[in-house]
Amino acid sequence: MIKIIRNFARRIFSGVFKKKGEIKLGFYGSPNAGKTSLANRICQDWLGEDLGSVSKMPHETRTIQVKEKVVLDRDGKKIEFKLIDTPGIATKIDFEDFMKFGLKRKAAQDRAKEATQGIIESIKWLDDMDAVIILIDSTMNPYSQVNITIIGNLVARNIPVLVVANKIDLKKSDIKKIQGAFPEYEVVGISAKNGDNMEEFYEALFKLVKKI
Amino acid sequence: MAKKKKSVKKVRKVPKVGKDLTIHFMPYSEIVHEDTVGRIKKIMGLILAQKIIILQGRLSPDEEVRLIENSMVLIDNIKNFQGIEIAAISAENENRGLFENIRRNIAKILVGEQDAITIIGPASVVKEMTKNPKKVELLLQRK
């Protein structure tokens, strides 16, 4: 309870003194949901450069990646973002899973260690966000406890959330299932890889920013 | 000259999974007077003993995230520990009336969310937990 009050007070004061337009936008979700792909897509659209590397192997992003001064323009209104791409949050990590992707034992163990540290770092950053995009792989079961836990924490901290269902270009994608799992939230379906439906995403992002 | 004793770093390990499976039913009364640290300590103690916990009620979002954080620290420090699987289902009903919702929310604030079930298991025992709004299925590791 004390923590919630402290966060609320911090948000009020930082809101008063914050430089207008600078918004810390976090990308959260399970590993391989497409957080870095979406962050890269936004950076490519507005800066012409990538933020981080992507891979089919889970836990490719193992440290927080930040891109500052990303200015988005919509109907003449400019908003400056600080994009914060976080490592995917998981409840378990087995180094042997990385060996299935061809890594040697030592390299897999090192990657697993970095991945656990990355998850701890992601959790610590939850307090520092102004708004968060929750990325969900629309080909997977959305009822994973990780998604529910992250959203629950953001709601408790009074941080606005936008749910994005990624990979809508794939056959197995089921956006209705995601909407059914999170009925209180607007769900935007995109393909970060192909850039599908990005206009609707930017519209929803500008709407999200108004809630801060 | 006396030989120097070699300092041997003690590595903590999780016990090997036996053929028997233990399910620990935890009534809400067992954790109601514990703070976050106490609750996590109690749960992790059972998880490290390779038990599956069925908890009456659910942890707060903050406690759930602390549990994940704690699991990550333990993966780095305890040999053979791979983390946890967790799923919670609530007795949520969309057709509930306004007054029933208010009554339940007040009860939730006063005594916690008891009309839910949380299942937590060690990842070395529970291979996968599949959840949909009404049920949770556990796929266990075959020994």
Side-chain angles (χ1 to χ4, degrees), chain A residues 3 89-94 113 116-117 119-120 123-124 126 141 143 145 148-149 152-153 157, chain B residues 58 61-62 64-66 68 72-73 75-76 82-88 123 127 130-131 133:
Chain A
K3 199 171 180 184
I89 296 181
T91 58
K92 62 177 182 183
I93 288 174
D94 183 0
K113 200 174 172 64
T116 58
Q117 297 302 322
I119 292 170
I120 294 168
I123 291 170
K124 284 192 178 131
L126 270 171
N141 179 6
Y143 292 97
Q145 197 62 33
I148 295 159
T149 302
N153 272 274
R157 287 164 168 82
Chain B
R58 69 182 299 171
D62 187 55
E64 281 179 9
V65 92
R66 297 290 149 234
I68 296 172
M72 292 304 123
V73 173
I75 290 173
D76 282 347
Q82 296 163 4
I84 59 167
E85 279 282 359
I86 178 169
K127 195 176 175 185
T130 321
K131 186 185 161 190

Side-chain angles (χ1 to χ4, degrees), chain B residues 77-108:
Chain B
N77 292 300
I78 298 182
K79 206 177 172 187
N80 299 332
F81 182 67
Q82 296 163 4
I84 59 167
E85 279 282 359
I86 178 169
I89 40 170
S90 302
E92 279 168 10
N93 184 354
E94 285 173 15
N95 299 325
R96 219 183 278 144
L98 175 70
F99 290 106
E100 178 61 14
N101 270 332
I102 294 169
R103 193 182 70 81
R104 277 172 181 267
N105 283 334
I106 292 170
K108 204 164 135 181

Side-chain angles (χ1 to χ4, degrees), chain B residues 29-65:
Chain B
S29 57
E30 209 176 305
I31 57 162
V32 72
H33 298 300
E34 302 274 2
D35 60 4
T36 300
V37 176
R39 287 177 184 192
I40 288 168
K41 219 172 159 183
K42 197 164 246 183
I43 290 166
M44 288 316 296
L46 291 164
I47 293 293
L48 291 175
Q50 304 284 52
K51 291 176 182 173
I52 295 173
I53 304 163
I54 298 180
L55 168 73
Q56 181 198 7
R58 69 182 299 171
L59 301 170
S60 69
D62 187 55
E63 286 167 343
E64 281 179 9
V65 92

Side-chain angles (χ1 to χ4, degrees), chain A residues 48-178:
Chain A
E49 58 186 68
D50 276 349
L51 186 146
S53 64
V54 292
S55 158
K56 280 186 179 173
M57 200 191 305
H59 300 282
E60 177 67 12
T61 307
R62 299 184 295 285
T63 53
I64 302 279
Q65 309 278 326
V66 178
K67 184 71 83 181
E68 294 190 72
K69 294 186 170 50
V70 181
V71 182
L72 271 65
D73 187 339
R74 193 164 188 87
D75 301 328
K77 195 185 172 192
K78 284 184 180 177
I79 298 180
E80 190 178 316
F81 287 96
K82 180 177 178 178
L83 303 186
I84 301 154
D85 182 25
T86 68
I89 296 181
T91 58
K92 62 177 182 183
I93 288 174
D94 183 0
F95 75 89
E96 287 181 3
D97 289 342
F98 299 128
M99 290 169 75
K100 291 172 193 160
F101 288 89
L103 286 190
K104 294 242 166 80
R105 194 179 181 84
K106 178 76 178 70
Q109 283 171 332
D110 289 346
R111 192 179 176 100
K113 200 174 172 64
E114 287 165 13
T116 58
Q117 297 302 322
I119 292 170
I120 294 168
E121 213 183 335
S122 285
I123 291 170
K124 284 192 178 131
W125 272 74
L126 270 171
D127 276 332
D128 292 320
M129 302 297 173
D130 293 321
V132 165
I133 291 167
I134 301 283
L135 259 290
I136 296 176
D137 182 341
S138 64
T139 66
M140 307 287 272
N141 179 6
Y143 292 97
S144 122
Q145 197 62 33
V146 164
N147 294 333
I148 295 159
T149 302
I150 299 169
I151 292 180
N153 272 274
L154 295 167
V155 170
R157 287 164 168 82
N158 208 18
I159 299 170
V161 174
L162 173 64
V163 177
V164 173
N166 192 23
K167 307 187 187 181
I168 58 164
D169 56 309
L170 299 180
K171 259 188 182 175
K172 275 173 74 185
S173 164
D174 188 351
I175 190 166
K176 279 189 180 155
K177 207 171 172 184
I178 314 271

